[in-house]
Amino acid sequence: MASILAYLLAIALWAFPTYSAFAIAAPAPQSLGAIPGLSQVFEGKTPKLGIQDGKLFPCPSNPNCVVSQGSDENHAIAPIAYTGSRDKARELLTKVLGVVPRTEIVTQQENYIRVKSTSRIMGFVDDTEFFLPEDEPVIHVRAAARLGESDLGVNKRRLEQIRFALQDLGV
């Protein structure tokens, strides 16, 4: 019974984060959850990610993924529009990502950034991608949980927080 309650608490904490990108004075430590050994169990394997034919990969059928390119209505999210230069948008995006708790930049290129976010207690990993095409002033986004069927909307909420932070910074 106690392990079931601990599991439910961990899911609730993971699914309903109470942080804001602007309320954080310094990035949270990159160490994984408080329960030893769980990070390896719930991390999962890195799926095939990146850009193919000028687009981020589509979402699988499960509901723990959102993407701004070529998605059905269950997986759709709007890209992040920006004004000004692509370099400035990428620079501000990198700064915002630097304060998102338990998130680390894994890959950073001129037109692509991939981050890995880890849940607070259980160590579930989500992969988030940002694609900045040369020919349009938007940042296409994709976020998906590596494991499980549903993420209870965590990936979409995280991307919307990033969008709002960028808007506040004048992107």
Side-chain angles (χ1 to χ4, degrees), residues 22-69:
F22 294 107
I24 307 298
Q30 296 301 318
S31 62
L32 298 179
I35 303 173
L38 284 183
S39 60
Q40 292 79 22
V41 173
F42 294 118
E43 183 173 0
K45 294 189 187 315
T46 305
K48 188 171 185 179
L49 301 169
I51 304 164
Q52 184 176 38
D53 299 326
K55 292 188 176 188
L56 296 167
F57 281 93
C59 287
S61 61
N62 50 346
N64 67 14
C65 178
V66 291
V67 66
S68 65
Q69 290 179 299

Side-chain angles (χ1 to χ4, degrees), residues 69-145:
Q69 290 179 299
S71 176
D72 59 62
E73 67 182 52
N74 295 326
H75 297 98
I77 189 169
I80 301 169
Y82 64 86
T83 56
S85 75
R86 182 171 71 146
D87 290 338
K88 184 66 173 175
R90 185 180 56 249
E91 176 187 333
L92 289 174
L93 174 60
T94 303
K95 286 181 181 181
V96 168
L97 293 173
V99 297
V100 177
R102 297 172 310 282
T103 296
E104 65 177 289
I105 295 176
V106 176
T107 303
Q108 186 171 0
Q109 300 167 349
E110 184 179 351
N111 67 343
Y112 177 79
I113 297 173
R114 179 171 76 87
V115 299
K116 178 175 104 169
S117 300
T118 306
S119 68
R120 185 178 310 150
I121 294 177
M122 302 298 278
F124 288 105
V125 173
D126 298 333
D127 294 295
T128 305
E129 301 173 279
F130 302 90
F131 171 45
L132 295 92
E134 245 183 279
D135 58 344
E136 58 182 322
V138 298
I139 303 170
H140 285 290
V141 296
R142 181 185 188 278

